[in-house]
Amino acid sequence: MAEAQLSLNLDIKHDASLSDFSGPGWMSIIDAVRQLHVGLIGQLYLFGSPATGKSHLLSAICESFIEMDKSAICLSLNELIHTDVNVLSSLENFSLIAIDDLEVIEQNSQWQEALFHLINRSREGQRQLLFAANKPASELPFQLRDLLTRLAQAPSFKVPTGHDLADREALLQSILRRRGWQFDERIANYLLTEGPHRIGAMMEVLNYIQPMFSNLGRSNISKAVIGDALRTIDEQTLAAELADIAQESQVDNDAADQDQHSQHTMPLDF
């Protein structure tokens, strides 16, 4: 069953590149990735709010390993949580194993234990590990204390929030070049200055407006089309802001619930 789940869920998304993260806010993280490339570090832990580009970065890192003729695989626990936990038992042949959405297993001791064993096996096989979550490892309310200890041993970096214009501009220009898209400068500037600051939300807006220009030559773009694009950016930005408010409200509610219930640790001795 694990092999079937692997074939269904674990494809690398190739539309990502480390060049997307050439802005100044990403320099320390990209430097750590270079250390990962040459084996100076064996693990890397990234954290930050939703839609800040963590998943895109994990895909880019995996793609960079593949370009170096190494094997890499990217897992989203958000997608795998309802599948067979044994999916984690057959990954040791990959040079890099990237695991996204760690917070999803906060209440699932079975998946926590499976991840703990994966880390141990990967260390024995000298495989490299990459983690991403919405909070630092020290703030994950995992019951399995030994798993938290393993995660805390990885160099940890908070991803930029996207508030730096230079970070957003570097990512936008990189994506446009790679995809061969050409937008009117007014649209690109408006997206950068008035669109969502979070990288994930900005990319969603970019994907939303691109079809408006897919059949138009650059010289055929009218003022009306540009106006429609700007209004679409406004509408999608508002939707992203409302989603952020809802997410923050959910986080506050989860924190309140956590305060009302004591957390019990579950050590494993190996």
Side-chain angles (χ1 to χ4, degrees):
M1 182 172 179
E3 293 181 357
Q5 294 298 341
L6 280 170
S7 66
L8 290 173
N9 295 302
L10 307 183
D11 293 333
I12 296 291
K13 298 177 181 178
H14 295 283
D15 186 24
S17 171
L18 289 183
S19 64
D20 297 348
F21 303 93
S22 58
W26 296 91
M27 291 182 62
S28 61
I29 294 177
I30 298 303
D31 181 62
V33 172
R34 300 305 183 194
Q35 295 182 55
L36 200 67
H37 282 162
V38 298
L40 292 178
I41 58 176
Q43 298 183 60
L44 188 61
Y45 186 101
L46 306 173
F47 67 94
S49 302
T52 47
K54 299 186 300 298
S55 298
H56 190 71
L57 177 58
L58 259 61
S59 293
I61 295 173
C62 286
E63 182 66 21
S64 71
F65 268 74
I66 293 171
E67 291 172 352
M68 296 168 61
D69 293 326
K70 297 183 179 181
S71 57
I73 195 163
C74 192
L75 310 166
S76 168
L77 292 179
N78 190 47
E79 297 176 0
L80 296 178
I81 188 67
H82 299 298
T83 65
D84 186 353
V85 70
N86 290 321
V87 70
L88 297 184
S89 66
S90 54
L91 303 175
E92 291 75 29
N93 290 330
F94 290 93
S95 301
L96 175 70
I97 305 168
I99 303 173
D100 200 1
D101 305 311
L102 286 183
E103 67 279 357
V104 172
I105 62 171
E106 288 179 352
Q107 305 300 323
N108 194 311
S109 59
Q110 187 180 23
W111 276 91
Q112 291 175 32
E113 185 172 345
L115 182 57
F116 173 80
H117 290 307
L118 173 64
I119 294 173
N120 288 341
R121 291 194 304 272
S122 297
R123 286 183 171 185
E124 292 173 0
Q126 297 185 327
R127 304 302 180 182
Q128 292 172 289
L129 294 165
L130 176 62
F131 306 104
N134 62 4
K135 62 187 73 173
S138 60
E139 296 180 12
L140 289 169
F142 286 171
Q143 297 172 318
L144 185 54
R145 185 178 63 228
D146 289 329
L147 173 57
L148 291 174
T149 299
R150 296 290 192 275
L151 294 173
Q153 292 172 350
S156 179
F157 294 86
K158 182 177 182 179
V159 301
T161 60
H163 291 301
D164 190 325
L165 176 62
D167 288 344
R168 299 199 305 278
E169 184 173 15
L171 181 134
L172 176 61
Q173 295 304 324
S174 177
I175 290 177
L176 292 180
R177 284 193 302 271
R178 192 171 64 255
R179 296 181 181 179
W181 292 354
Q182 291 186 333
F183 285 173
D184 185 278
E185 185 176 347
R186 287 167 289 182
I187 297 172
N189 288 339
Y190 195 82
L191 177 59
L192 287 170
T193 58
E194 304 299 330
H197 285 180
R198 294 178 188 263
I199 284 177
M202 188 184 78
M203 291 177 62
E204 287 183 7
V205 175
L206 181 63
N207 290 330
Y208 199 93
I209 63 175
Q210 191 277 332
M212 300 173 65
F213 304 93
S214 59
N215 295 320
L216 297 176
R218 196 169 186 180
S219 60
N220 296 327
I221 300 177
S222 65
K223 291 183 178 180
V225 172
I226 293 174
D228 287 343
L230 300 186
R231 283 190 294 272
T232 299
I233 292 173
D234 285 339
E235 293 169 359
Q236 295 303 311
T237 300
L238 176 59
E241 291 172 349
L242 293 175
D244 284 346
I245 293 172
Q247 177 67 33
E248 291 172 0
S249 177
Q250 183 61 48
V251 169
D252 291 341
N253 291 337
D254 291 344
D257 291 341
Q258 184 176 330
D259 289 340
Q260 295 175 4
H261 298 85
S262 60
Q263 298 293 324
H264 301 285
T265 59
M266 183 181 61
L268 287 181
D269 297 323
F270 291 93

